[in-house]
Amino acid sequence: MKRTPRIAIGALAVLAGLIVVLMVFVSLFDWNLLKPTVNRQVSAAIQRPFEIRGELGLDWSRPDSPSGWRGWIPWPHVHAGDIVLGNPDYVKAGDMAHVQRVDVWLAPLGLLSRRVTIPRIAVHRPDAGLVRLADGRDNWTFDLGSDESASDPEDAEPSSWTVVIDELVFDEGTVTYDDATLDADFTVTIDPLGKPVPFAQIAGGDGAGDPAAGDYVFGVRVEGRYKGAPLSGTGRMGGMLALRGGDRPFPIQADVHSGSTRVQVAGTLIKPLDFGGADLDVSFSGESLDNLERLTGVTLPATPAYATDGHLSARFDVIKGSRFSYRDFNGRIGDSDIRGTLVYDQAAPRPKLSGELISDQLLFSDLAPLIGADSNADKADRGEDARQPADKVLPVERFDTEAWSLMDADVRFTAKSIQHGDTLPLSDIHAHLVLDDGELLLDPLRFGMAGGELNTTLRLAGRTDPMVGRVDLHARRLQLDEIMPAVEALEGSLGQINGDATLSGTGNSVADLLGGSNGRLTVLLDRGWISRNLMELAGLNVGNYVVGKLFGDEPTRINCAAADLTVDDGRVRPNVFVFDTENAVINITGTTHFADESLDLKIAPASKGARLLTLRSPLYVHGTYADPAPGVEAAPLVARAAAAITLGAVATPAAALLALVSPTAADENQCAPVLQRLQARDDS
């Protein structure tokens, strides 16, 4: 035999002998002798008390039995009992954690490449108390010190060794959570189910998550408070967490109540301790969507009671930001159905909510809380403190503009059919909401209304205080007989309404915005009918009074009605406000003020014949929007010139009103010739 092979065989024999000696030494050595040293070194490293009070040992075993040559390689198995981990000095509570026993297995081959591979950690009967103080400090963040040998810690080179943990196995235990920053204090209790429950039995054949997920092994209970509201719930979960790799999803199921909100989930988590992701079937229900902010951190509007269910997938990324997708959900808000998809991105500089919502049948009253127009009783039912004063008509509830700066949004909403009775004949709605750095844009906010269309663009700059707002509104082809379908006199009427409005103002509520607004409103009505019965049906007491004084109870045909109103600092003044009827021309002058909702209007009729000879004085409307006071002027009507019997007698710029004449029916429009004559006079 040559010398070189002999040397190699001898070296291998020596190495094998050393391994045998090492294994025997490991098996026979009393590792409890090292406990004082381990306790002291670990306590110094983590800067808090640490103690192994039970047995400390090391043997050779592995948690599984792989096939092939790898099964012959022994793994070091470290086990320790009765382990106590204390709290840092600034937490006055008792110990942070107590574990009855911990088992750790080490795969030795990884050491050859400076890799500490821990295939499994088994924790038996863990009890932990997690605490976060009001100043933000917590007891689960460890200060591991710094490299004192380096002049600057940032200059210290990273270690060439890596640590990888594959699985965490646990059994029954208790976790308490006390968080002053969240006003949270609850306890989670984990108990064995007695008999494992298959994942498919809970999630169903079409359930969320990976069908390879393990069985439900433990039951979970939670009791306490979260953000000041009672918190309770039950659930199930698996018994093994896959910390590395996505081939072993962790099953979870829960039914949690927080205040009036209920959340139900069933599905799987992916690498939960490494924030890998989640695939869950989720349902939400509660009294108002804005209550969900407590649980989700997502800013949502106040609504009537809601319920929805869909599929939630989450992908966590601490660098780029996590993404949550709530897809293909169905539900209801109030008495309206809702479906769609929403995506929440935790991106910089602000998180963003995007998606599309669709309602096949929308009850318009379910939208009232979004603009603060719901009743005081509805607000009380939702727990809202804001109340609408009895003497105010314009909504005074303030917009929550502070919440606008916390999140961006890009959401489209479509309601294919709207129910609102006969008083407001809306047929459908389409809206595109964009919220960017505290500025809200609704463009378009489009309603199908009375056979025509109401198209609005709304801008609200929530970053300013007070808020700056602007609205541009265009009403086209609104059919008078569809606005009042219950009025028999309007059946078959050709009356059509067109209008434009542009208003801008400052304020943090609808009332404040209008109270100091500036702009212009123009409205044109071509043909129609008017009567006391119509005013009564519309709930217009003032109109009922005025029409009764002018025309009695009989329906009266309107040839044309035109209004061109200027708004200056909330005060509305008509350049022209005229009704041309079959027997009179009615001119309305005066002012109304959005700020105090005051009315100071004068209605002056000019008869085309003898039917109004009994009316000798003009009418007035004083008071407020909530309490108008109509009456008859004491002074006689002095001038009723013959020139006033047509709309052309009113001196007003007609260009804006001419733009409202429908191009498709200009040759039949009763207002067109009058406005054209008026425009010709203005041009001259």
Side-chain angles (χ1 to χ4, degrees), residues 343-365:
V343 177
Y344 183 69
D345 285 298
Q346 290 182 325
R350 291 169 303 279
K352 183 175 182 178
L353 180 70
S354 56
E356 183 172 8
L357 304 175
I358 299 174
S359 175
D360 292 320
Q361 193 79 12
L362 173 69
L363 191 67
F364 192 78
S365 60

Side-chain angles (χ1 to χ4, degrees), residues 216-428:
Y216 294 101
V217 177
F218 294 102
V220 181
R221 300 190 311 276
V222 58
E223 291 287 344
R225 297 179 306 107
Y226 184 76
K227 290 195 174 180
L231 177 69
S232 63
T234 59
R236 301 178 180 90
M237 67 180 187
M240 180 181 294
L241 290 169
L243 305 184
R244 185 171 64 93
D247 57 345
R248 189 172 296 172
F250 183 74
I252 186 172
Q253 178 267 332
D255 186 349
V256 179
H257 295 257
S258 177
S260 64
T261 302
R262 181 183 185 185
V263 182
Q264 297 172 283
V265 301
T268 59
L269 305 180
I270 304 170
K271 296 188 296 182
L273 295 191
D274 197 28
F275 299 103
D279 285 292
L280 305 167
D281 287 331
V282 180
S283 64
F284 300 94
S285 60
E287 292 182 358
S288 176
L289 277 174
D290 61 345
N291 293 335
L292 272 176
E293 184 178 1
R294 276 204 314 269
L295 294 176
T296 65
V298 181
T299 303
L300 295 170
T303 66
Y306 70 94
T308 179
D309 61 86
H311 181 79
L312 176 68
S313 61
R315 295 296 178 264
F316 300 102
D317 191 323
V318 295
I319 299 177
K320 297 181 181 179
S322 302
R323 164 174 281 208
F324 302 85
S325 301
Y326 192 41
R327 299 189 176 279
D328 302 324
F329 65 84
N330 291 278
R332 61 172 181 81
I333 298 178
D335 293 321
S336 306
D337 68 278
I338 192 76
R339 56 187 169 89
T341 292
L342 291 173
V343 177
Y344 183 69
D345 285 298
Q346 290 182 325
R350 291 169 303 279
K352 183 175 182 178
L353 180 70
S354 56
E356 183 172 8
L357 304 175
I358 299 174
S359 175
D360 292 320
Q361 193 79 12
L362 173 69
L363 191 67
F364 192 78
S365 60
D366 292 334
L367 292 178
L370 276 66
I371 59 174
D374 52 342
S375 67
N376 287 339
D378 292 335
K379 290 182 172 68
D381 290 341
R382 297 199 322 269
E384 296 285 343
D385 294 330
R387 295 291 186 272
Q388 179 72 15
D391 60 344
K392 293 289 185 180
V393 172
L394 300 177
V396 301
E397 185 172 350
R398 295 171 64 87
F399 293 101
D400 185 12
T401 55
E402 291 184 5
W404 297 2
S405 62
L406 302 178
M407 183 184 74
D408 292 342
D410 188 342
V411 179
R412 297 180 183 273
F413 173 68
T414 300
K416 297 182 178 180
S417 177
I418 298 178
Q419 290 185 349
H420 197 286
D422 296 336
T423 58
L424 190 59
L426 300 176
S427 57
D428 58 81

Side-chain angles (χ1 to χ4, degrees), residues 496-521:
Q496 186 181 100
I497 298 176
N498 293 283
D500 289 325
T502 298
L503 291 172
S504 60
T506 59
N508 293 323
S509 68
V510 173
D512 290 342
L513 283 168
L514 291 175
S517 61
N518 297 282
R520 190 175 185 181
L521 299 89

Side-chain angles (χ1 to χ4, degrees), residues 36-339:
T37 302
V38 172
N39 293 340
R40 183 171 58 254
Q41 292 293 335
V42 174
S43 297
I46 64 177
Q47 299 187 20
R48 65 180 67 184
F50 174 85
E51 185 178 4
I52 301 175
R53 296 175 178 174
E55 291 290 326
L56 174 63
L58 189 152
D59 55 36
W60 301 93
S61 66
R62 49 190 307 155
D64 51 14
S65 300
S67 60
W69 64 271
R70 294 180 183 273
W72 292 89
I73 300 176
W75 284 4
H77 168 214
V78 181
H79 52 86
D82 197 9
I83 302 171
V84 177
L85 176 62
N87 274 309
D89 294 337
Y90 52 82
V91 176
K92 303 306 179 183
D95 296 325
M96 176 183 174
H98 175 264
V99 178
Q100 187 180 86
R101 177 185 168 102
V102 172
D103 291 85
V104 180
W105 285 268
L106 175 66
L109 292 180
L111 300 176
L112 300 177
S113 58
R114 296 178 179 269
R115 182 185 182 93
V116 179
T117 302
I118 301 175
R120 180 175 295 180
I121 298 177
V123 181
H124 305 277
R125 293 186 180 273
D127 293 303
L130 305 180
V131 178
R132 179 155 57 182
L133 305 179
D135 59 10
R137 292 181 298 173
D138 59 64
N139 68 342
W140 61 82
T141 300
F142 291 84
D143 182 3
L144 301 181
S146 60
D147 185 0
E148 296 181 358
S149 64
S151 58
D152 187 345
E154 295 183 358
D155 295 334
E157 295 184 2
S159 173
S160 59
W161 287 80
T162 59
V163 178
V164 176
I165 304 174
D166 287 347
E167 296 174 348
L168 174 65
V169 183
F170 54 91
D171 57 14
E172 58 188 295
T174 302
V175 178
T176 61
Y177 185 77
D178 187 354
D179 192 330
T181 65
L182 294 176
D183 191 16
D185 181 8
F186 57 84
T187 300
V188 180
T189 304
I190 303 171
D191 293 312
L193 290 174
K195 181 180 180 180
V197 178
F199 172 76
Q201 182 174 324
I202 302 299
D206 298 325
D210 195 323
D215 294 338
Y216 294 101
V217 177
F218 294 102
V220 181
R221 300 190 311 276
V222 58
E223 291 287 344
R225 297 179 306 107
Y226 184 76
K227 290 195 174 180
L231 177 69
S232 63
T234 59
R236 301 178 180 90
M237 67 180 187
M240 180 181 294
L241 290 169
L243 305 184
R244 185 171 64 93
D247 57 345
R248 189 172 296 172
F250 183 74
I252 186 172
Q253 178 267 332
D255 186 349
V256 179
H257 295 257
S258 177
S260 64
T261 302
R262 181 183 185 185
V263 182
Q264 297 172 283
V265 301
T268 59
L269 305 180
I270 304 170
K271 296 188 296 182
L273 295 191
D274 197 28
F275 299 103
D279 285 292
L280 305 167
D281 287 331
V282 180
S283 64
F284 300 94
S285 60
E287 292 182 358
S288 176
L289 277 174
D290 61 345
N291 293 335
L292 272 176
E293 184 178 1
R294 276 204 314 269
L295 294 176
T296 65
V298 181
T299 303
L300 295 170
T303 66
Y306 70 94
T308 179
D309 61 86
H311 181 79
L312 176 68
S313 61
R315 295 296 178 264
F316 300 102
D317 191 323
V318 295
I319 299 177
K320 297 181 181 179
S322 302
R323 164 174 281 208
F324 302 85
S325 301
Y326 192 41
R327 299 189 176 279
D328 302 324
F329 65 84
N330 291 278
R332 61 172 181 81
I333 298 178
D335 293 321
S336 306
D337 68 278
I338 192 76
R339 56 187 169 89

